[in-house]
Amino acid sequence: MPNARRGVPWSHVQLDEHLFRRESARMVAALTRIFGVHNLSLAEDVVQDAFCRALEVWKVRGVPDNPSAWLMATAKNRALDVIRRERTAATFAPEVSRLFESEWTLAPIVDEAFATEIIRDEQLRMMFSCCDPRLKEEVQIALVLNILCGFGAQEIAGAFLAGRAAVEKRIARGKQSLATSQRLFDLTDDDVASRLPVVQRALYLLFNEGYHSAAADSVVRTELCREAIRLTELLAGDARTGTPSTHALAALMSLHAARLPGRLDGAGDLSALVDQDRSTWDTALIAHGIALLEQSARGSEISVYHLEAAIAAAHVQAPSVARTDWRTIVELYDRLMGLAPSPVVALNRAIAVAQHAGADPGIDALERIAGAERLAAYPFYRAAFGELELRRGQRDAARSHFEAAVHLARNATERRHFEKRMQSCDSE
Amino acid sequence: MSDYIYLFRTTAEARRAAMGTPEIAQQSMQRWLAWMRDLETKGHLKNRGQPLENEGKLVRGKSKVITDGPFAEVKDLVAGFMIVQARDISQAAELAKGCPILEGDGAVEVRPVMAMNF
């Protein structure tokens, strides 16, 4: 029996846990360059074929030393088959289809599409195409997750606490719109500057969904954050899209993600910043975030991302809650309120005010939040009142706020957290 | 110890479903690798088999009509085979319970390989 791996202990073969998701996104990028974006589903079929083939072959011969190269080569061969079979009938990408007519140019063109830097470029173009302002934000994000991160409808639904059917509809609607465009967004166009904020916003929401998601599964959440960071770094690494605000966005994500291990304590409970074990924070990621923040200061532009990144930097650079520069944080929140006022920003500002000036001014700031009715269902709004009432010794008031937060909790982790806070009103 | 052949039978649809999204494909792959690793470490895996292409032809009946695959509509597609060593057929059947093909719509047909002593 031909077995290339005979003698190699099977148990040593480890598969990277996100291999297929990551490679799917890269293969789709290369294949849409060849087939054209209107043939996206054909590209996805080829990817699925490559996976089926991998299963059959790897079962017998073992996982290849470079599984990613194996999958790419398989997808490439399959693409050549498809083109040879259908080149007279189908229309492929307008930029390259003329070159498919001759065998002399066909193979080099297909090879080129799978080159690392071309894939990177295609992923950027795809990102811009997915973030079409005519599509709803939720559709843009579902598309990015599906095409650029390789998540299926079920997994996206799980992360967003949405129904699978609803997510499938979003993806289908988005793909329909993609299919009608003959080509991907062109990064040499003048509209890069006007489309860039839409892309940044989608990535920002994607990251937030991972960071604050009400979905309890911490693995999914970490993956969403990781993907948002990966795509933002892709954006930052390109001269055409790596603007100061892109760097600020990347900085903000790194500085928040550095705290992700500390956000879920041993029991999987949400730790308030106060209780977080700062030794669990990722110091390499913090350094990376600070470097990005410095890069973002090159221009004169001050975006929302700059301010949010600066706030995150003030938090991670402080040795403790008590020794945090709360005055600066309050000032940054004031500027943020000037640029992009929202009840959630006002809530965070009020918490900073309380840290800087005490519980009374904090409660005062909470009570003066404009549009606070929009926070009515947000458990952390009531919890903030609870914390400050507790701090000024009003245990009964504090307890009833935490109780309200328990009822508003969106998952078991949040509920446990607020219940614990409620109990602390009796024990302290 | 005797030899038993596992014939993996499934539908084209179930086969694709096992690879439906990258995440599901990854899980299917990991299950297969884990199951085979387990058989191997316990000394049951004799021959991993050979991968089969999806396409094929079917030659049938006295008239010897040749029809084309792929057998997309076939309810009972032979997806592959493998040879294991087991004490007896009930142990071989028991070991087949771990096969990931069962998570889909598939089946494992367990057949003793005839011992040809004479």
Side-chain angles (χ1 to χ4, degrees):
Chain A
M1 176 195 132
N3 184 350
R5 287 201 161 254
R6 186 169 297 175
V8 178
W10 194 236
S11 54
H12 286 189
V13 176
Q14 282 296 333
L15 212 52
D16 178 89
E17 77 180 300
H18 302 297
L19 175 78
F20 280 35
R21 208 162 51 64
R22 202 179 52 218
E23 296 308 326
S24 147
R26 297 180 58 217
M27 288 190 277
V28 166
L31 291 164
T32 42
R33 179 181 174 89
I34 300 167
F35 296 150
V37 65
H38 58 293
N39 283 316
L40 182 58
S41 63
L42 177 62
E44 290 173 329
D45 283 348
V46 168
V47 170
Q48 208 187 18
D49 275 347
F51 286 161
C52 287
R53 186 163 277 267
L55 180 64
E56 297 311 319
V57 174
W58 298 5
K59 270 192 311 206
V60 175
R61 300 193 36 191
V63 179
D65 290 333
N66 187 342
S68 147
W70 192 100
L71 286 169
M72 287 289 167
T74 305
K76 205 188 288 180
N77 287 332
R78 188 84 192 102
L80 287 170
D81 288 346
V82 169
I83 294 167
R84 287 192 185 114
R85 202 179 58 217
E86 298 185 16
R87 65 182 146 196
T88 47
T91 46
F92 296 116
E95 296 100 322
V96 289
S97 57
R98 198 176 40 80
L99 300 165
F100 290 167
E101 286 157 25
S102 155
E103 282 294 322
W104 288 95
T105 42
L106 170 60
I109 273 294
V110 171
D111 261 340
E112 188 195 58
F114 282 86
T116 309
E117 63 279 13
I118 298 284
I119 287 182
R120 206 179 293 140
D121 212 52
E122 289 302 300
Q123 286 189 307
L124 270 179
R125 294 180 66 191
M126 181 65 88
M127 217 190 296
F128 273 73
S129 286
C130 290
C131 296
D132 187 329
R134 286 171 302 181
L135 297 172
K136 281 189 191 163
E137 274 173 347
E138 58 185 28
V139 175
Q140 296 171 13
I141 294 170
L143 270 187
V144 168
L145 282 171
N146 181 249
I147 300 175
L148 286 152
C149 311
F151 284 110
Q154 183 69 58
E155 295 130 28
I156 298 172
F160 285 75
L161 295 181
R164 182 187 175 147
V167 172
E168 269 169 358
K169 210 186 271 175
R170 281 177 211 169
I171 295 175
R173 194 177 309 143
K175 283 187 176 168
Q176 221 170 15
S177 139
L178 275 181
T180 56
S181 57
Q182 274 297 307
R183 54 202 300 172
L184 286 179
F185 191 89
D186 193 338
L187 287 172
T188 56
D189 275 4
D190 295 338
D191 11 334
V192 171
S194 63
R195 181 67 68 94
L196 183 59
V198 188
V199 176
Q200 289 171 336
R201 167 106 186 134
L203 296 178
Y204 174 76
L205 292 176
L206 174 56
F207 181 84
N208 274 351
E209 195 55 46
Y211 197 71
H212 299 288
S213 169
D217 187 349
S218 64
V219 181
V220 175
R221 298 179 32 184
T222 312
E223 271 314 294
L224 287 187
C225 292
R226 217 189 289 273
E227 287 297 330
I229 289 176
R230 180 178 69 82
L231 295 176
T232 309
E233 300 267 345
L234 204 61
L235 213 56
D238 190 286
R240 296 160 295 186
T241 54
T243 62
S245 58
T246 301
H247 281 104
L249 178 61
L252 146 73
M253 289 181 184
S254 291
L255 294 171
H256 278 297
R259 275 154 55 188
L260 206 53
R263 259 195 111 227
L264 294 168
D265 68 18
D269 286 353
L270 281 175
S271 310
L273 185 60
V274 190
D275 309 321
Q276 276 186 27
D277 177 0
R278 287 175 190 239
S279 69
T280 63
W281 293 358
D282 187 333
T283 47
L285 205 50
I286 291 175
H288 179 61
I290 298 294
L292 283 166
L293 188 58
E294 279 161 12
Q295 262 181 292
S296 77
R298 280 172 318 185
S300 54
E301 177 194 15
I302 298 287
S303 64
V304 170
Y305 308 126
H306 282 92
L307 294 171
E308 288 196 27
I311 292 168
H315 281 301
V316 293
Q317 286 180 311
S320 68
V321 171
R323 289 167 64 197
T324 300
D325 186 358
W326 291 105
R327 175 197 288 277
T328 300
I329 291 178
V330 172
E331 280 168 14
L332 288 166
Y333 272 120
D334 286 338
R335 293 175 71 181
L336 195 53
M337 282 300 285
L339 215 53
S342 85
V344 174
V345 172
L347 169 60
N348 287 326
R349 182 190 165 274
I351 294 167
V353 167
Q355 293 294 349
H356 174 55
D360 290 334
I363 286 186
D364 189 44
L366 281 177
E367 281 167 349
R368 284 192 295 152
I369 293 177
E373 65 280 355
R374 278 165 56 200
L375 296 173
Y378 187 53
F380 290 97
Y381 175 54
R382 296 301 296 269
F385 273 107
E387 296 296 346
L388 298 187
E389 289 293 1
L390 189 60
R391 203 172 297 173
R392 45 177 202 188
Q394 303 292 325
R395 289 180 188 210
D396 290 339
R399 191 185 301 102
S400 70
H401 283 301
F402 286 128
E403 197 176 356
V406 169
H407 290 299
L408 293 170
R410 294 160 296 179
N411 59 45
T413 309
E414 285 183 0
R415 195 168 310 117
R416 264 200 312 278
H417 173 70
F418 298 130
E419 275 165 1
K420 254 198 260 174
R421 297 307 295 145
M422 212 173 127
Q423 283 154 17
S424 71
C425 296
D426 303 319
S427 59
E428 274 170 28
Chain B
M1 295 289 255
S2 314
D3 290 355
Y4 297 87
I5 193 160
Y6 283 172
L7 289 174
F8 303 116
R9 325 200 70 143
T10 181
T11 62
E13 203 180 312
R15 211 177 181 190
R16 287 193 84 81
M19 293 275 137
T21 71
E23 208 78 333
I24 293 171
Q26 178 104 23
Q27 285 162 12
S28 300
M29 177 70 83
Q30 266 156 348
R31 280 202 200 111
W32 272 99
L33 294 181
W35 179 55
M36 292 184 68
R37 183 157 52 229
D38 189 51
L39 289 176
E40 182 159 77
T41 34
K42 290 179 179 151
H44 292 295
L45 193 59
K46 182 168 183 189
N47 185 322
R48 296 174 185 281
Q50 296 270 289
L52 302 181
E53 292 286 359
N54 267 326
E55 303 83 35
K57 294 204 183 276
L58 199 63
V59 188
R60 194 199 298 268
K62 271 187 213 143
S63 56
K64 296 170 183 142
V65 176
I66 300 177
T67 46
D68 270 346
F71 313 114
E73 68 293 347
V74 174
K75 288 273 177 289
D76 193 20
L77 185 79
V78 177
F81 68 92
M82 184 167 112
I83 300 172
V84 298
Q85 288 192 309
R87 227 171 26 242
D88 50 31
I89 186 127
S90 39
Q91 190 192 22
E94 202 57 39
L95 291 169
K97 281 186 178 173
C99 180
I101 209 163
L102 306 172
E103 307 292 327
D105 237 355
V108 183
E109 184 174 326
V110 186
R111 303 281 297 271
V113 175
M114 199 184 281
M116 295 181 287
N117 297 327
F118 303 102

